[in-house]
Amino acid sequence: MMGHAGMAATAVRYLRAVGSPTAAVRPVDPLPPPELRCVRDDERPPVDPAEFRRVLGHFASGVTVIATVDGTGPTGFACQSFASLSLDPPLVAFMVARTSTTWPRIARAGVFCVNVLGAHQGELCRAFALSGSRRPDKFAGVRYEPSPVTGSPRLADVPAWIDCAVHTVHTGGDHLVVVGRVRALGTDESAARSGPLLFHRGSFGEFTPLP
């Protein structure tokens, strides 16, 4: 089985070769070649990006902070494109823009921790949503501890966390689809009482159970 360093090296190479397959162990069939997934001249042209965002904004999602630590310290970014993927083996996935300055550091580390944010952590999310150029040290003043297996940052007072190793990386247009193999996970029931932090149509909100 390829170790974290090998998977990280594969992920970095992946960034340099758009559309090229990863060299990591393949537990699933590879994606079709990129040309088979491109829009052909005779197909319907892409929708307007602004309209795409407006319509998809109606889908409410939870919010996470994907965090890692490398040779220069901890780093992370706010991510709403996160989902559970597989129960056996336990896999999760998140999507990250190819232009992200945080992703290359996660790829080099080969590990990450998904921090599921609670309704009380809106300001924390806003801090991690800033680009690295606007906020170079996103962990300034942020309390965290190493996750139990990979040592990635586990933020204080999050309702749930998932400790992962990079499993595979796939292309997804202007984003990458990163699949993580779950190594450990847990919850903080006291933090979970406030409910999850939700993102809907450009704003944060809270979950209110139906009576």
Side-chain angles (χ1 to χ4, degrees), residues 27-101:
V28 295
D29 292 335
L31 292 175
E35 61 270 19
L36 298 182
R37 294 181 285 115
C38 292
V39 177
R40 298 191 304 269
D41 292 338
D42 60 343
E43 290 181 313
R44 183 178 179 181
V47 297
D48 177 70
E51 179 69 357
F52 184 87
R53 288 193 181 97
R54 187 189 69 81
V55 173
L56 271 294
H58 285 267
F59 179 73
S61 68
V63 187
T64 69
V65 168
I66 310 293
T68 195
V69 62
D70 61 8
T72 61
T75 188
F77 72 101
C79 177
Q80 67 179 100
S81 300
F82 166 78
S84 60
L85 179 63
S86 168
L87 184 62
D88 184 17
L91 302 174
V92 296
F94 71 86
M95 278 61 81
V96 60
R98 289 178 180 272
T99 56
S100 168
T101 57

Side-chain angles (χ1 to χ4, degrees), residues 92 110-114 150 152 162-166 180-184:
V92 296
V111 295
F112 60 91
C113 183
V114 181
T150 73
S152 302
I162 306 101
D163 196 15
C164 305
V166 174
R181 180 70 177 258
V182 178
R183 299 304 187 190

